[in-house]
């Protein structure tokens, strides 16, 4: 066996996953066909739940230092979708280039002991009863085979792993020829993150915080051009002028490109010993900035389950819960990002007026405003199904809370990648290799067993050994 787990693709998702596994002591090989850092910075919006996931790995402060936080998104020139009401330590969106996230995750993964095979491309795989053989083309164009207990395809939308595992990727093309540019502006937009859809098309503007702005737009009048067609700065300025009444003095683009979007989701996120995560599992329009965020949360959901399976203490069916829990989240993201983009692309003046009025009124209604921020953007409210009879909080994200004395916060306790048992009671012995015991500052809180991804496994007042044995295997 070359590795216990082979992760294919060193994008943000593969890096987070491989780092988690290596930190837990798993032998991980990360196969990446690139030899250089990716020149593309597609993602730039990091949402609150992702910040929490990074906080649980001790990376939130470093990530925050790479970008700029914005309080929300101004849509259609008058509708504010604010994040300030979000619960938790990160009530905003962080705007930072995707390569900053990748740099931090790569550093963490290498420090944790991930074996990185750069310049190696996976060409296929075969599943056996007890292992998977992964076929790899080396930089010298020789064929080689890696063997592992499990394989995760984090190899993007054209995933070879997904294809080789026979996982279907149904869906359809949505938008053609979106234009993207990183530019300078002489005049700062009045609200820092904004989108507007008008008769001619739509324009979205986001600040990186270092003087550069990301502009994404679509021109209805120019038809659907191939991705290779050059982007004209004058066209961007013209469209921005139509959407905002000014082009903000746009100049000096450092990167201009076109892209298209599909809406597709893997029929299943698991086939035997093979899993898919991130863009290999779901792709959609970038409206709402959901792709990388959703993928990082896929990785956080899967990593501890693989650790449990490799170590031999996974409860029956645990690996299947990855698909059960994350597939519905991916489906919801496809739906909501599709709604945003279709709203931005409306051509009929009547429908645009209706959109502006309805969304303006809806965002003044507190429960709707909170639902959009919580459910549709930040990822904060994703809740996994709980077994019948479980405590009503089971499956929910556990909010960060203070621990007794100088022990810090729950999310700091989760940095060990283990379950956390929060209880003022004396815990039963035999699980300390898999479970961190903490005492909450509020000693009136009921006992809770918190999964390594920060969701609630169990809450109650009774016997602690039962939930520990149920979730974390027999006492050692
Ligand atoms: C314009 C645009 C804006 C976006 N904005 C946002 C945003 O603001 N927020 C957000 O959350 N998301 C956003 N996204 C989506 C986000 O960029 C993706 O969801 C994210 O990059 C997915 O990460 P990944 O690791 O799954 O895949 P990728 O980033 O595609 O990484 C896959 C890796 O696998 C490697 N690889 C592929 N095939 C093989 C092989 N056979 N062998 C070895 N290695 C292989 C590739 O070289 C690559 O390094 C945006 C997307 C676009 C297009």
């Amino acid at each position: 066996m070359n590795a216990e787990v082979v992760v294919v693709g060193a994008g943000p998702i593969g890096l987070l996953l491989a780092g988690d596994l290596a930190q837990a002591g798993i032998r991980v090989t990360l196969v990446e066909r690139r030899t250089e850092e990716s020149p593309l910075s597609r993602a730039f919006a990091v949402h609150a739940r992702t910040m929490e996931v990074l906080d649980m790995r001790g990376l939130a402060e470093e990530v925050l230092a790479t970008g700029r936080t914005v309080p929300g998104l101004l849509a259609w020139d008058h509708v504010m979708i604010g994040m300030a009401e979000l619960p938790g330590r990160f009530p905003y969106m962080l705007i930072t280039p995707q390569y900053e996230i990748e740099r931090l995750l790569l550093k963490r993964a290498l420090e944790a002991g991930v074996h990185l095979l750069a310049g190696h491309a996976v060409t296929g795989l075969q599943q056996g009863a007890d292992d998977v053989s992964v076929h790899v083309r080396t930089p010298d164009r020789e064929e080689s085979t890696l063997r592992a207990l499990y394989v995760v395809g984090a190899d993007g939308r054209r995933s070879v792993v997904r294809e080789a595992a026979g996982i279907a990727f149904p869906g359809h093309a949505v938008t053609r020829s979106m234009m993207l540019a990183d530019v300078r502006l002489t005049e700062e937009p009045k609200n820092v993150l904004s989108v507007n859809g008008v008769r001619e098309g739509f324009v979205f503007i986001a600040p990186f915080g270092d003087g550069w702005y990301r502009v994404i737009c679509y021109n209805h009048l120019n038809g659907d051009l191939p991705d290779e067609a050059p982007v004209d700065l004058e066209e961007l300025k013209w469209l921005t002028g139509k959407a905002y009444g000014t082009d903000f003095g746009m100049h000096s683009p450092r990167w201009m490109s076109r892209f298209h979007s599909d809406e597709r989701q893997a029929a299943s996120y698991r086939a035997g010993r093979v899993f898919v995560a991130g863009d290999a599992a779901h792709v959609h329009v970038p409206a709402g900035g959901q792709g990388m965020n959703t993928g990082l949360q896929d990785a956080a959901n899967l990593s501890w389950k693989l650790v449990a399976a490799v170590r031999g203490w996974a409860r029956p069916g645990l690996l299947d819960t990855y698909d059960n829990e994350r597939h519905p989240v991916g489906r919801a993201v496809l739906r909501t990002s599709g709604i945003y983009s279709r709203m931005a692309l409306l051509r009929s003046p009547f429908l645009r007026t209706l959109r502006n009025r309805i969304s303006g009124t809806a965002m003044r209604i507190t429960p709707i405003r909170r639902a959009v921020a919580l459910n549709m953007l930040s990822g904060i409210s994703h809740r996994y199904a709980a077994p019948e009879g479980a405590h009503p909080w089971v499956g929910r994200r556990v909010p960060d809370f203070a621990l007794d004395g100088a022990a810090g916060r729950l999310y700091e306790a989760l940095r060990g990648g283990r379950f956390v048992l929060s209880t003022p009671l004396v815990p039963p012995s035999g699980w300390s290799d898999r479970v961190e015991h903490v005492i909450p500052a509020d000693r009136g809180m009921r006992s809770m067993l918190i999964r390594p991804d920060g969701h609630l496994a169990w809450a109650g007042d009774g016997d602690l050994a039962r939930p520990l044995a149920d979730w974390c295997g027999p006492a050692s």
Side-chain angles (χ1 to χ4, degrees):
M1 205 63 73
N2 303 82
E4 287 166 320
V5 180
V6 166
V7 177
V8 185
I13 286 45
L15 288 168
L16 184 86
L17 185 77
D20 279 6
L21 294 169
Q23 273 205 336
I26 302 291
R27 282 187 296 119
V28 191
T29 297
L30 176 60
V31 188
E32 169 56 56
R33 68 178 171 204
R34 283 182 287 110
T35 48
E36 311 279 328
E37 186 177 83
S38 168
L40 303 175
S41 177
R42 291 175 291 163
F44 49 90
V46 181
H47 287 292
R49 184 56 179 167
T50 304
M51 289 305 301
E52 292 186 340
V53 164
L54 295 169
D55 190 18
M56 290 171 204
R57 286 153 182 82
L59 296 173
E61 307 308 322
E62 268 180 281
V63 170
L64 272 175
T66 65
R68 168 178 183 174
T69 61
V70 295
L73 169 74
L74 182 77
W76 333 133
D77 204 29
H78 71 294
V79 182
M80 186 65 186
I81 303 171
M83 300 289 149
E85 292 171 272
L86 287 177
R89 296 177 72 222
F90 309 102
Y92 43 70
M93 275 185 258
L94 171 69
I95 307 300
T96 190
Q98 180 168 333
Y99 58 73
E100 294 285 5
I101 309 276
E102 291 179 9
R103 267 180 207 159
L104 284 171
L105 293 176
L106 174 64
K107 181 167 163 276
R108 166 183 182 255
L110 294 178
E111 282 171 5
V114 168
H115 176 48
L116 174 65
L117 287 179
H120 289 64
V122 167
T123 54
L125 56 81
Q126 257 147 15
Q127 299 207 46
D130 304 318
D131 64 6
V132 191
S133 300
V134 183
H135 307 304
V136 175
R137 188 176 307 126
T138 69
D140 307 326
R141 306 200 67 75
E142 282 171 11
E143 303 298 327
S144 149
T145 301
L146 297 170
R147 281 176 58 232
L149 294 173
Y150 298 100
V151 174
V152 183
D155 50 343
R157 58 173 56 220
R158 294 195 184 88
S159 171
V160 169
V161 172
R162 184 187 62 227
E163 175 106 28
I167 300 174
F169 200 42
H172 54 271
V174 189
T175 51
R176 298 264 154 231
S177 215
M178 294 269 194
M179 290 177 283
L180 176 159
D182 285 353
V183 295
R184 295 270 181 189
L185 303 179
T186 48
E187 198 189 316
E188 183 160 13
K190 70 177 175 206
N191 273 284
V192 286
L193 195 66
S194 57
V195 62
N196 202 9
V198 290
R199 187 172 67 92
E200 292 80 2
F202 85 86
V203 179
F204 170 89
I205 303 181
F208 282 115
D210 58 358
W212 288 101
Y213 289 80
R214 166 68 49 91
V215 179
I216 297 180
C217 42
Y218 182 80
N219 182 353
H220 282 307
L221 310 177
N222 224 355
D224 287 340
L225 299 176
D227 286 359
E228 305 74 43
V231 176
D232 179 5
L233 181 66
E234 289 310 312
E235 184 181 352
L236 296 189
K237 289 169 75 168
W238 171 79
L239 206 53
T240 308
K242 292 288 175 195
Y244 292 95
T246 167
D247 65 11
F248 303 107
M250 192 179 292
H251 65 99
S252 309
R254 65 175 170 187
W255 180 37
M256 296 204 289
S257 119
R258 283 177 197 272
F259 67 95
H260 66 273
S261 294
D262 287 3
E263 275 174 359
R264 295 182 186 280
Q265 188 177 23
S268 168
Y269 288 9
R270 176 183 186 191
R273 294 178 168 271
V274 179
F275 299 80
V276 286
D279 278 15
H282 43 76
V283 291
H284 45 81
V285 284
Q290 299 288 301
M292 180 181 71
N293 285 280
T294 307
L296 290 172
Q297 289 155 42
D298 293 343
N301 182 286
L302 178 59
S303 57
W304 65 273
K305 296 175 182 174
L306 284 174
V307 173
V310 172
R311 292 282 171 261
W313 53 263
R315 67 202 303 233
L318 182 68
L319 287 178
D320 284 330
T321 65
Y322 169 60
D323 178 67
N324 298 342
E325 294 182 342
R326 294 306 299 173
H327 200 277
V329 174
R331 194 166 50 235
V333 167
L334 253 72
R335 197 169 49 236
T336 51
S337 58
I339 293 173
Y340 303 142
S341 68
R342 283 167 183 91
M343 281 168 77
L345 285 164
L346 284 176
R347 295 195 75 169
S348 140
F350 169 72
L351 291 177
R352 280 202 315 277
T353 308
L354 204 63
R355 169 197 72 191
N356 295 356
R357 292 225 174 116
I358 290 177
S359 43
T361 309
M363 283 300 131
R364 284 193 287 277
I365 302 169
T366 305
I368 297 183
R369 192 172 62 242
R370 281 178 61 84
V372 170
L374 281 169
N375 297 334
M376 296 167 84
L377 286 170
S378 69
I380 286 281
S381 66
H382 293 319
R383 183 195 175 161
Y384 302 138
E388 222 168 286
H391 188 282
W393 299 344
V394 167
R396 290 191 186 179
R397 149 196 177 271
V398 180
D400 203 5
F401 57 81
L403 304 180
D404 195 34
R409 304 179 280 117
L410 170 69
Y411 289 5
E412 289 170 338
L414 284 164
R415 288 178 188 172
R418 295 183 292 168
F419 278 80
V420 170
L421 176 63
S422 165
T423 180
L425 308 174
V426 177
S429 59
W431 282 279
S432 60
D433 55 332
R434 286 150 280 167
V435 182
E436 170 109 13
H437 171 226
V438 299
I439 300 172
D442 173 2
R443 284 171 177 256
M445 271 170 94
R446 70 184 57 222
S447 299
M448 288 191 286
L449 182 64
I450 298 142
R451 306 178 355 171
D453 59 7
H455 284 254
L456 187 70
W458 170 89
D461 296 311
D463 172 22
L464 297 175
R466 252 193 44 208
L468 284 171
D470 186 22
W471 279 94
C472 311
S476 56

